[in-house]
Amino acid sequence: MRVNHVPKIYLTPGNAQHIGSREEQQDAFYFSDFFDAQSIQDNGILAVLADGMGGHDMGKTAASIAIETFVDSYQLSNIQDSVPGRLAKAIDAANQAVAKLGLEVNVDTGCTLIASVVKEGLLYWVGTGDSRIYLWCQGRLVRITSDFTFARNLEKLVAEQYISEEEAMINDQRHYLYSYIGVRDNFRFDVCQKPIFLKQGYKLLLCSDGLFGTLSEAEIAEEMSALPQQAADKLLDKTLRKNIQHQDNVTILIIGC
């Protein structure tokens, strides 16, 4: 009998974070233990990023609660279940926890959340809001998550010829979020059902909008060839050197194969 073995993937992390010009750091992130063999076997390598919504109260608290709830839910879920199923349950639990917080203190609060799992050489992900996950390989940067902004709906209206591209571009609500962690009704998220097989040289980038809102995707791709920690440091430095007036919180997580 022939047994097909999954090739061993060695992963290396990098991260960088800065408050920008804001009064408070409302981004939060989490990496699981890259050296815990049992955890890796059961859960894979988990990376999570949440960005507290600056226009809402208690954004920092919302991001922290979302991360903690998501991680606990995922790691305590049945390891016999599928990874996408476990991710879906975890993001739903995070949403319920933050929505409950808002009700208890009577404030409108929320955050974005993206998470990735690399397990047995396969990449899975889940997300809501407008933080992003990218995959980089051989100089090419590919976004694998979609923003939950009204721009997404406007693009559909353009495709269906209800409005023109120009009308979509000048719509002043195109950057508004319609789903995020903390939504009490009609919560939506994307979860991958078909994982990506990772190969040597691939890099995974999770980032808040403080990065891609300042740097273009081409500018980001230019720095991704470096080792993960060096790439994260270079991206942060490049962002801050733009010296824009209202620089948002910046959080960068990179996992290299």
Side-chain angles (χ1 to χ4, degrees):
M1 181 178 68
R2 181 177 179 181
V3 178
N4 292 320
H5 294 282
V6 177
K8 192 174 288 294
I9 297 291
Y10 295 96
L11 304 174
T12 306
N15 70 86
Q17 189 175 58
H18 197 277
I19 194 171
S21 61
R22 301 301 171 93
E23 296 180 357
E24 182 178 55
Q25 175 59 266
Q26 295 193 348
D27 289 358
F29 71 92
Y30 170 88
F31 271 136
S32 62
D33 191 336
F34 280 65
F35 300 100
D36 186 332
Q38 188 61 56
S39 176
I40 292 171
Q41 179 179 320
D42 293 344
N43 304 313
I45 291 289
L46 174 65
V48 192
L49 185 154
D51 177 0
M53 295 170 62
H56 292 224
D57 294 326
M58 301 181 69
K60 179 179 180 179
T61 303
S64 296
I65 289 176
I67 292 274
E68 181 179 358
T69 305
F70 184 95
V71 171
D72 286 348
S73 175
Y74 178 77
Q75 293 185 338
L76 294 173
S77 60
N78 189 337
I79 62 173
Q80 301 303 319
D81 291 344
S82 70
V83 174
R86 296 172 68 189
L87 289 173
K89 290 178 181 177
I91 198 170
D92 187 61
N95 182 64
Q96 291 183 44
V98 175
K100 181 181 178 183
L101 168 70
L103 286 172
E104 289 175 346
V105 296
N106 195 29
V107 298
D108 186 13
T109 189
C111 63
T112 70
L113 189 145
I114 48 173
S116 66
V117 168
V118 179
K119 190 170 189 287
E120 297 179 345
L122 297 174
L123 167 65
Y124 304 83
W125 68 91
V126 68
T128 190
D130 63 351
S131 295
R132 294 179 180 177
I133 302 178
Y134 290 92
L135 191 62
W136 180 91
C137 183
Q138 297 181 340
R140 185 167 176 240
L141 191 69
V142 178
R143 176 152 58 108
I144 60 175
T145 55
S146 298
D147 297 341
F148 281 80
T149 61
F150 282 110
R152 188 172 178 175
N153 292 337
L154 291 170
E155 289 169 1
K156 293 179 181 178
L157 293 175
V158 170
E160 295 168 359
Q161 298 184 337
Y162 286 107
I163 62 174
S164 67
E165 288 188 20
E166 182 180 359
E167 287 173 314
M169 292 302 297
I170 64 174
N171 189 298
D172 59 4
Q173 294 185 348
R174 62 180 289 103
H175 297 299
Y176 289 8
L177 296 180
Y178 66 84
S179 186
Y180 51 88
I181 297 293
V183 168
R184 297 168 194 172
D185 299 301
N186 201 24
F187 175 54
R188 300 182 189 179
F189 59 88
D190 285 336
V191 61
C192 84
Q193 296 298 331
K194 186 176 182 180
I196 295 174
F197 180 72
L198 295 179
K199 299 180 181 179
Q200 181 179 349
Y202 280 29
K203 289 191 181 76
L204 185 65
L205 168 66
L206 290 77
C207 57
S208 60
D209 60 354
L211 178 70
F212 63 80
T214 303
L215 301 182
S216 68
E217 292 183 352
E219 290 174 314
I220 293 171
E222 289 173 351
E223 310 301 335
M224 290 294 293
S225 61
L227 294 173
Q229 187 56 55
Q230 294 175 347
D233 291 338
K234 286 182 176 183
L235 285 171
L236 180 58
D237 181 64
K238 195 172 192 175
T239 299
L240 298 179
R241 281 192 284 110
K242 291 282 187 176
N243 198 30
I244 66 172
Q245 187 176 5
H246 301 293
Q247 176 62 56
D248 200 353
N249 300 155
V250 186
T251 300
I252 301 160
L253 308 182
I254 297 177
I255 299 175
C257 300

